[in-house]
Amino acid sequence: MKAKDKRIMTIDRVSLLADARRELDMPSRRLFGKRLLTLGGLSLLTGCSITDGDSVNTFLTAVSRLNDRAQALLFDPTRLAPTYTQAELTRPFPFNAYYGVDEVPRVDGGDYRLKVSGLVTGQRVWTLPQLYALPHAEQITRHICVEGWSAIGRWGGTPFVEFLRRVGADTTAKYVGFRCADDYYESIDMPTALHPQTLLTFEYDGERLPAKYGYPMKLRMPTKLGYKNPKHIVEIFVTNTYPGGYWVDQGYNWFGGS
Ligand SMILES: Nc1nc2c(c(=O)[nH]1)N[C@H]1C(S)=C(S)[C@@H](COP(=O)(O)O)O[C@H]1N2
Ligand SMILES: [Mo]
C-alpha cells in the first residue's frame, strides 16, 4: 500500500468510528444500554470485516441497516408527532428537491393515473377523482429536513392506512415503495405506513397541492425526516424486497425517523 493510501485509510478509520458512534448514538444506544460499542463489537454485530477500503462502505451501510432495525424496534406505532395551530404555519413554506424550483415536474391531472403494484389484491389503477373521494384528514405538523431547516405546514388528504386497506395491501409485508414523476424514489417500513398520522396528501393549506410541494400527491409522515416524504408519486408498491431510496442509496439512513 502506498503512503498516501495508508493515510486515507487512517482518516477513513477515524471518520468511520465517528460515523459509527453517531449512527449508534440516540435512540439506538437505549437499545444497547449505556455501553458504547467498540469498532470490534460493531463489526461482529454487522458481520463485516473492516480490513480494506472497499469494506469500509459495506461496513457503514451495515451499521446504518443495523440502526434501521434498532429504530424500527423503538418505533412506537401509537405515539403521535406534535401538531400545531394554523397561526404557527411557516410562511412561505420552503420548497426543496434535488433540483431547483424551475425544474419541478408538471403533472397533468387529467391524464394522471396512480399505479399500485406488488402485494395487493385490489384496484391497481386510480384516477385523481377516485383518490379525492377517499376519507379526508388534515394535519398541521413540522417537516424536518436534514439540510438544516424545519417548517410547520398544513396538509390534507387521506390516511394512508385507509388507502392501503382499499387496495387490499398485504399489511404483513415489510415495505411500501414509491416511484415519483421526477427520478425520486423512496420506501418505508409497514408500521410507519399504517401510522395514524401518515397521510397521502392532495392539499396544502386548504388548496390543491401546488406543483412545487408535490402535485398531485405527497406522502406526509411527521414521524419521518423530510427526504422520506415522496412528492409527485406515480406508483406505490407493497413488497418484502428492500427497495432503498434516492438519498438512502447515497448514504442517508433508511429508517430516517424524526
Ligand atoms: N419527488 C421528490 N420528492 C421529494 C424530494 C424530491 O427531490 N423529489 N425531496 C425530498 C426532500 S429532501 C424534502 S426536504 C421534501 C421537501 O418538500 P417541500 O418542497 O414540500 O418542502 O421533499 C422530499 N420529497
Ligand atoms: Mo430534505
Side-chain angles (χ1 to χ4, degrees):
M1 199 187 270
K2 281 181 276 172
K4 189 179 158 225
D5 294 342
K6 270 204 186 116
R7 202 168 63 235
I8 290 169
M9 271 304 295
T10 314
I11 294 165
D12 268 0
R13 275 166 184 275
V14 171
S15 58
L16 170 65
L17 188 57
D19 281 357
R21 287 235 167 96
R22 200 180 315 122
E23 283 286 351
L24 284 163
D25 207 26
M26 295 298 280
S28 331
R29 202 189 284 166
R30 267 182 273 147
L31 190 71
F32 299 112
K34 286 274 178 273
R35 188 168 58 102
L36 254 190
L37 282 159
T38 61
L39 208 47
L42 281 170
S43 65
L44 268 177
L45 272 166
T46 54
C48 291
S49 80
I50 42 163
T51 47
D52 56 60
D54 261 1
S55 60
V56 166
N57 264 334
T58 318
F59 174 75
L60 269 183
T61 306
V63 169
S64 184
R65 295 294 291 142
L66 173 72
N67 192 31
D68 285 340
R69 292 200 290 280
Q71 287 188 65
L73 280 170
L74 291 164
F75 179 75
D76 178 348
T78 60
R79 207 186 122 237
L80 298 182
T83 57
Y84 301 85
T85 64
Q86 182 79 17
E88 291 171 291
L89 289 183
T90 306
R91 297 187 194 278
F93 190 83
F95 157 82
N96 196 34
Y98 65 88
Y99 42 75
V101 72
D102 45 322
E103 285 167 64
V104 166
R106 301 282 151 181
V107 175
D108 179 331
D111 290 352
Y112 177 88
R113 298 290 181 275
L114 174 70
K115 276 196 214 131
V116 184
S117 60
L119 304 171
V120 299
T121 54
Q123 187 175 335
R124 286 174 177 257
V125 180
W126 290 74
T127 64
L128 286 177
Q130 287 172 335
L131 291 165
Y132 296 158
L134 295 174
H136 192 259
E138 287 253 343
Q139 67 172 240
I140 301 181
T141 52
R142 185 183 293 278
H143 173 117
I144 303 165
C145 175
V146 287
E147 283 171 31
W149 57 270
S150 86
I152 295 169
R154 173 181 168 215
W155 291 270
T158 197
F160 196 45
V161 62
E162 296 283 348
F163 175 77
L164 290 176
R165 266 197 211 116
R166 277 164 176 83
V167 298
D170 175 358
T171 53
T172 67
K174 283 192 186 150
Y175 310 104
V176 181
F178 303 86
R179 296 194 184 91
C180 306
D182 51 12
D183 286 332
Y184 212 72
Y185 57 102
E186 246 313 342
S187 61
I188 58 168
D189 54 295
M190 189 59 79
T192 299
L194 303 175
H195 186 275
Q197 286 175 309
T198 296
L199 301 187
L200 191 58
T201 66
F202 316 111
E203 287 152 31
Y204 185 78
D205 197 14
E207 308 279 339
R208 190 62 70 225
L209 194 69
K212 61 180 175 181
Y213 299 150
Y215 182 86
M217 74 194 70
K218 171 179 184 168
L219 189 78
R220 179 60 201 140
M221 296 170 284
T223 55
K224 291 237 187 267
L225 293 168
Y227 65 87
K228 295 299 295 180
N229 294 238
K231 304 193 287 186
H232 316 288
I233 300 167
V234 294
E235 184 170 353
I236 299 178
F237 58 100
V238 178
T239 180
N240 282 310
T241 309
Y242 174 69
Y246 185 91
W247 289 114
V248 170
D249 291 347
Q250 297 177 53
Y252 282 37
N253 170 255
W254 174 76
F255 196 83
S258 71

